[in-house]
């Protein structure tokens, strides 16, 4: 293996570390340029034996898990916000006879004092 491939692997590992930090800190807007750069780094590794790429593969899988967890967190937050908004608009309940009834939040009234 050439020294060029060793340098390319080191650069890829550094890139994956930077990508992990972006994911861990939630700076998702920075991911698009990182992905483009990673694709060019991977293209430079063509012909490198798989054993040399094992560490990079492990790091890439960890980053993939972090990204999946971030996506799931956003979905959960979005669902919770939906519940909060829906709750603020009122909810359905049942009276003593089992009939459905809408319970709306009280609207604030304006009280004027002289």
């Amino acid at each position: 293996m050439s020294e060029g491939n060793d340098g390319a692997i080191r650069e890829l590992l550094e890139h994956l570390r930077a990508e992990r930090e972006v994911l861990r800190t939630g700076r998702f807007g920075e991911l698009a340029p990182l992905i483009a750069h990673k694709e060019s780094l991977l293209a430079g590794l063509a012909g490198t034996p798989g054993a040399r790429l094992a560490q990079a593969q492990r790091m890439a899988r960890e980053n993939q898990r972090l990204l999946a967890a971030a996506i799931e967190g956003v979905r959960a937050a979005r669902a919770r916000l939906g519940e909060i908004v829906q709750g603020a608009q009122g909810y359905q309940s049942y009276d003593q006879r089992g009939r459905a009834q809408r319970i709306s939040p009280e609207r604030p009234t304006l009280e004027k004092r002289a």
Side-chain angles (χ1 to χ4, degrees):
M1 180 180 330
S2 70
E3 179 62 33
N5 275 358
D6 284 344
I9 290 172
R10 279 194 297 276
E11 189 176 353
L12 177 62
L13 293 175
E14 284 303 312
H15 179 83
L16 290 170
R17 286 183 187 101
E19 183 179 77
R20 180 184 62 219
E21 190 59 28
V22 166
L23 289 168
R24 292 184 64 171
T25 57
R27 300 184 328 254
F28 303 117
E30 298 176 24
L31 283 176
L34 286 175
I35 291 170
H37 185 155
K38 181 170 56 176
E39 289 173 354
S40 69
L41 290 173
L42 291 171
L45 293 173
T48 303
R52 293 284 294 142
L53 298 174
Q55 182 180 6
Q57 185 179 28
R58 284 190 304 274
M59 290 178 75
R61 283 186 181 147
E62 176 61 23
N63 287 354
Q64 184 178 5
R65 284 191 290 274
L66 287 171
L67 184 57
I71 290 169
E72 187 58 35
V74 168
R75 282 185 185 137
R78 194 173 184 178
R80 183 65 183 130
L81 284 173
E83 291 170 359
I84 291 169
V85 168
Q86 192 175 36
Q89 296 170 349
Y91 61 95
Q92 284 287 120
S93 185
Y94 298 93
D95 65 12
Q96 293 174 341
R97 295 184 181 142
R99 292 181 299 204
Q101 65 180 5
R102 177 94 180 138
I103 299 181
S104 299
E106 291 184 26
R107 299 285 180 220
T109 58
L110 181 62
E111 181 180 323
K112 293 184 180 181
R113 293 186 180 192

